[in-house]
Amino acid sequence: MLRALLLLIALSTSLLAVPNIVIIYADDLGYGDLGCYGHPTIRTPNLDRMAAEGMRFTQFYSAAEVCTPSRAALLTGRYPVRSGMCHDQIRVLRNNSVGGLPQDEVTLAELLKAQGYRTACIGKWHLGVWANDPRHQPVNHGFDFQFGLPHSNDMNPNPGNPKRANALADQKAEYWNSPLYRGMELVERPADQTTLTRRYTEEAVKFITLDKSKPFFLYFPHTFPHTPLFASKNFKGRSPRGLYGDVVEELDWSVGRVIETLRENGLAENTVVVFSSDNGPWLTMGETGGSAGLLREGKGSTWEGGMRVPGIVWWPGRIKPSVCRDVACTMDLFVTFAKLGGAAAPQDRDIDGMDISPLLFGSGRVERSVFCYYRGQRLYAARVGPWKAHFITQPSYGPEKPAVHAVPMLYNIEEDPSESRDVAGQHPDIISRIQSAVEKHRATVKEVPSQLVGTDEVR
Ligand code: MG
């Protein structure tokens, strides 16, 4: 009788236990860059296995087209226009920026920490440079521990770095002077970028195994495959896809190490792991940029290739091996994981993410009224069901001005994922349906000052 009771108590506490949460976030990895998303030559056996054992989304979105706003959205569950973490021309924070994620934004790390989670940010932050304002350190946004770069790996060119495009093509270590930090402590400058993926991974493994008495949240935003590209000796020169492939294959190794660590420590059944990317591939970088597969355009644009990214969620025993073709986005992770961790999303502000537990656990669908595609502070496009209307279009980079369409372009992106056949003429009713969904969304968006203003390099 006593044994039965004890067993029951043990069972109920394990059922009540909140899961560990790991978000692995690649930088500029395209929709078409993994084996399990159809890349013919980049080998990603660990991610392929993670996808085969978990849920692979085919219509998973980042909430922005470039680095800074996409990270703000992931960690706050809100379109970046609400937090001021975007700007039409400046686009991302740079090494001389003084702005950053406002202190009154509530991050997923803060919510989980309040529930007793250990929290860490390992990798690239890009939500404020703490050398310019210490409030931007991740430790002031809910993370107990931080290791990594404050921003992108191309933001501290050395004197003698030739024109940006050439430097990126050459991928020479001496062109760059990125600082590597552990909290406020400068660990190394210039960071040896060939070691970053390996060292991030070692820190992640250490963090996971540090203390089993508490649940943990590991936010693991990698520096790569953002250019300039660097791979370690073990990976350099191995991929038929060239240096870009080497770098992605090393990221895949890193994912394998994280999952292996969870398995070895008996944590796999109580840990949910997500793999995604902050935006599409940087196509203007030529062979050192990735691929969006069959999707149109890439990083920096509101065509599908700019914002639809790989999305894999793994939780053995809880999430069934499957492919999910429903729409989901990074902002949903905020809401869903807050809830799984026993917290509630803040009630005093608009949250744009949705609880996707019904998709993850196979219990139902999620009714999403609209998904908006912002470029900076301007809404360029919106999706309702399979239909996507482009109100404004613009090439991802370059001097071309935005083209505002009096009649929006319209695509059925489930029939036509490459956005190649504009069917606006045949469906005025659908366009007005999307327009009214957008109007409803706009009514909730208050104008806030951009945190990116004051950055002197505009591109
Ligand atoms: Mg990026």
Side-chain angles (χ1 to χ4, degrees):
M1 181 66 190
L2 186 64
R3 275 185 62 189
L5 196 66
L6 286 175
L7 191 70
L8 198 69
I9 291 168
L11 198 68
S12 61
T13 44
S14 81
L15 285 175
L16 288 173
V18 294
N20 305 306
I21 294 165
V22 179
I23 299 177
I24 306 174
Y25 209 40
D27 193 350
D28 296 2
L29 181 86
Y31 185 79
D33 281 327
L34 304 179
C36 52
Y37 281 85
H39 198 283
T41 52
I42 300 178
R43 294 162 296 199
T44 52
N46 293 294
L47 281 157
D48 299 353
R49 181 177 172 191
M50 182 183 167
E53 293 176 356
M55 180 171 279
R56 184 173 68 85
F57 283 87
T58 61
Q59 304 202 64
F60 192 84
Y61 290 93
S62 171
E65 81 302 357
V66 289
C67 301
T68 293
S70 77
R71 287 146 207 273
L74 168 71
L75 288 180
T76 65
R78 287 147 60 80
Y79 287 112
V81 68
R82 298 191 193 276
S83 57
M85 290 298 281
C86 53
H87 189 278
D88 300 345
Q89 276 88 44
I90 300 168
R91 309 197 79 175
V92 296
L93 292 165
R94 301 193 64 83
N95 57 324
N96 53 14
S97 301
V98 292
L101 189 65
Q103 292 299 307
D104 59 2
E105 286 297 321
V106 177
T107 68
L108 181 58
E110 284 167 328
L111 290 179
L112 294 174
K113 190 176 161 72
Q115 297 299 313
Y117 276 71
R118 302 188 288 124
T119 55
C121 169
I122 296 174
K124 162 179 151 175
W125 176 239
H126 217 178
L127 292 174
V129 180
W130 52 88
N132 304 338
D133 183 341
R135 288 177 304 175
H136 299 322
Q137 231 293 328
V139 297
N140 296 319
H141 287 285
F143 291 98
D144 300 326
F145 173 78
Q146 178 273 334
F147 179 83
L149 306 191
H151 45 56
S152 304
N153 59 342
D154 64 342
M155 289 186 169
N156 298 99
N158 266 329
N161 184 325
K163 273 189 177 171
R164 201 181 140 75
N166 292 339
L168 289 164
D170 287 343
Q171 318 290 316
K172 284 187 182 164
E174 61 265 33
Y175 288 159
W176 308 104
N177 189 30
S178 290
L180 174 67
Y181 284 89
R182 185 188 306 277
M184 292 301 283
E185 178 208 342
L186 182 64
V187 175
E188 188 176 292
R189 184 163 201 173
D192 178 352
Q193 296 204 39
T194 64
T195 66
L196 285 182
T197 300
R198 176 176 58 76
R199 286 156 88 192
Y200 289 171
T201 308
E202 286 166 3
E203 294 286 343
V205 166
K206 219 187 291 174
F207 172 75
I208 289 169
T209 52
L210 191 65
D211 172 8
K212 287 192 191 161
S213 70
K214 283 183 176 178
F216 64 83
F217 169 45
L218 169 61
Y219 172 50
F220 192 177
H222 276 281
T223 283
F224 299 113
H226 190 288
T227 64
L229 299 173
F230 293 96
S232 72
K233 271 205 303 285
N234 291 348
F235 288 88
K236 198 169 178 198
R238 285 195 351 185
S239 172
R241 170 60 180 83
L243 183 57
Y244 186 86
D246 297 340
V247 167
V248 174
E249 291 182 12
E250 188 161 15
L251 292 178
D252 177 75
W253 162 83
S254 170
V255 171
R257 278 295 294 139
V258 168
I259 290 198
E260 193 176 68
T261 304
L262 296 171
R263 288 195 212 271
E264 284 168 3
N265 288 274
L267 296 166
E269 273 71 37
N270 199 33
T271 304
V272 54
V273 183
V274 174
F275 180 89
S276 192
S277 177
D278 69 334
N279 49 252
W282 207 351
L283 299 178
T284 49
M285 291 296 146
E287 72 173 82
T288 59
S291 163
L294 83 176
L295 305 178
R296 182 164 171 179
E297 256 278 13
K299 173 181 179 177
S301 93
T302 47
W303 296 100
E304 287 298 287
M307 289 172 59
R308 199 193 297 192
V309 287
I312 304 170
V313 188
W314 179 90
W315 187 358
R318 288 298 305 276
I319 295 176
K320 287 203 182 86
S322 49
V323 174
C324 181
R325 294 181 177 80
D326 289 13
V327 171
C329 72
T330 54
M331 297 183 294
D332 301 339
L333 302 178
F334 175 90
V335 177
T336 309
F337 290 167
K339 192 174 150 200
L340 284 172
Q347 301 295 306
D348 62 345
R349 61 197 68 202
D350 288 293
I351 300 288
D352 299 295
M354 302 188 70
D355 179 8
I356 55 166
S357 314
L359 301 180
L360 297 178
F361 305 129
S363 60
R365 308 290 292 267
V366 171
E367 281 306 318
R368 189 181 306 268
S369 52
V370 64
F371 179 78
C372 301
Y373 301 69
Y374 278 89
R375 173 169 168 146
Q377 296 130 303
R378 295 177 80 182
L379 190 150
Y380 271 42
R383 173 176 182 169
V384 171
W387 299 99
K388 177 175 174 186
H390 291 265
F391 305 102
I392 309 173
T393 52
Q394 187 178 5
S396 54
Y397 290 96
E400 215 170 305
K401 293 264 181 295
V404 180
H405 303 287
V407 177
M409 302 166 95
L410 182 74
Y411 299 90
N412 181 325
I413 53 174
E414 297 198 339
E415 275 178 15
D416 176 22
S418 305
E419 298 171 282
S420 59
R421 293 181 296 277
D422 178 3
V423 291
Q426 299 153 45
H427 299 287
D429 52 322
I430 290 166
I431 291 176
S432 34
R433 217 168 81 208
I434 299 176
Q435 271 164 335
S436 76
V438 166
E439 285 322 308
K440 261 194 208 148
H441 161 76
R442 277 196 212 277
T444 70
V445 178
K446 295 177 206 78
E447 232 174 273
V448 300
S450 172
Q451 295 294 321
L452 277 55
V453 171
T455 298
D456 66 13
E457 188 178 341
V458 174
R459 64 189 176 105

